[in-house]
Amino acid sequence: EPEVTQTPSHQVTQMGQEVILRCVPISNHLYFYWYRQILGQKVEFLVSFYNNEISEKSEIFDDQFSVERPDGSNFTLKIRSTKLEDSAMYFCASREDSGNTIYFGEGSWLTVV
Amino acid sequence: SQQGEEDPQALSIQEGENATMNCSYKTSINNLQWYRQNSGRGLVHLILIRSNEREKHSGRLRVTLDTSKKSSSLLITASRAADTASYFCATVQIQGAQKLVFGQGTRLTINP
């Protein structure tokens, strides 16, 4: 069964460093998302992406964050200068079309030290 | 803002019993989806129910939706130890990017 894949599964980074989290959405999907989950808390929406542009973003998604679809398969989340409070599990998700199931990857656990 | 809220926050039952988790939300929705998350793992999609549907079944899962009360329930029948996980409801609005808005989740523990 097709699945959303994410790399790395776990990354430890120094505060202030740049981090890129990578995702390969399901191949025929058109809508892409990033969510995050701080340990013990609920899953929070960061950004949605459709037709090569951001369609919606939350207030969490400030200027430190950016997303890119550099080719036909990858979807990346970049954090320019990480802070301690960016430590979280980051989930990529995708869906085929409007009103359909949204499928999640296994997540990338980011630890900022 | 729209928000799914589950209750109870934690539920502990014996294997073989049924588990019921509830979810409430605040605004009009396109659909509502239930997910399971094992500790430290990804979100596994369980079931999607559309706003014009009232009940859906999938194996041992039964989901109901009451749009007049803005609430949904997830019933797991004949629970197993492997059902131990956190369960989240997430709503999708009618407008916009159709992002999921998650609740806090219910931590379900099945005791053998």
Side-chain angles (χ1 to χ4, degrees), chain B residues 31-44:
Chain B
N31 64 71
L32 184 146
Q33 304 184 33
W34 283 91
Y35 289 83
R36 186 185 75 215
Q37 184 182 37
N38 287 7
S39 184
R41 302 295 303 276
L43 293 155
V44 175

Side-chain angles (χ1 to χ4, degrees), chain A residues 24-88:
Chain A
V24 179
I26 296 173
S27 64
N28 62 334
H29 284 193
L30 302 176
Y31 298 80
F32 314 116
Y33 304 85
W34 283 101
Y35 288 79
R36 80 169 186 193
Q37 185 181 31
I38 294 171
L39 186 64
Q41 298 187 22
K42 66 178 178 180
V43 179
E44 300 174 290
F45 168 76
L46 292 179
V47 66
S48 59
F49 193 87
Y50 171 70
N51 201 24
N52 283 320
E53 60 182 20
I54 290 173
S55 47
E56 190 173 345
K57 60 183 180 179
S58 71
E59 54 197 34
I60 301 169
F61 194 88
D62 61 21
D63 292 344
Q64 293 298 317
F65 291 88
S66 62
V67 288
E68 197 176 38
R69 187 156 164 81
D71 52 44
S73 59
N74 290 285
F75 179 51
T76 61
L77 174 69
K78 182 193 289 186
I79 309 174
R80 246 178 287 281
S81 177
T82 50
K83 309 183 190 87
L84 293 176
E85 54 265 36
D86 293 327
S87 294

Side-chain angles (χ1 to χ4, degrees), chain B residues 4-15:
Chain B
E5 296 291 343
E6 288 91 339
D7 96 271
Q9 291 189 342
L11 179 63
S12 181
I13 60 174
Q14 293 300 120
E15 197 166 22

Side-chain angles (χ1 to χ4, degrees), chain B residues 3-92:
Chain B
Q3 198 168 34
E5 296 291 343
E6 288 91 339
D7 96 271
Q9 291 189 342
L11 179 63
S12 181
I13 60 174
Q14 293 300 120
E15 197 166 22
E17 293 180 340
N18 295 341
T20 300
M21 290 160 274
N22 302 297
C23 166
S24 61
Y25 58 92
K26 294 180 181 174
T27 63
S28 297
I29 62 171
N30 177 294
N31 64 71
L32 184 146
Q33 304 184 33
W34 283 91
Y35 289 83
R36 186 185 75 215
Q37 184 182 37
N38 287 7
S39 184
R41 302 295 303 276
L43 293 155
V44 175
H45 183 262
L46 296 176
I47 201 162
L48 179 155
I49 186 165
R50 302 190 190 282
S51 59
N52 62 351
E53 296 175 313
R54 292 295 166 258
E55 188 170 312
K56 266 187 115 163
H57 297 255
S58 175
R60 293 184 296 114
L61 305 180
R62 173 178 166 249
V63 167
T64 63
L65 179 65
D66 186 335
T67 52
S68 66
K69 294 181 180 176
K70 293 187 166 56
S71 67
S72 174
S73 68
L74 170 68
L75 168 68
I76 304 175
T77 60
S79 62
R80 304 167 183 167
D83 294 328
T84 294
S86 291
Y87 291 81
F88 295 91
C89 76
T91 51
V92 176

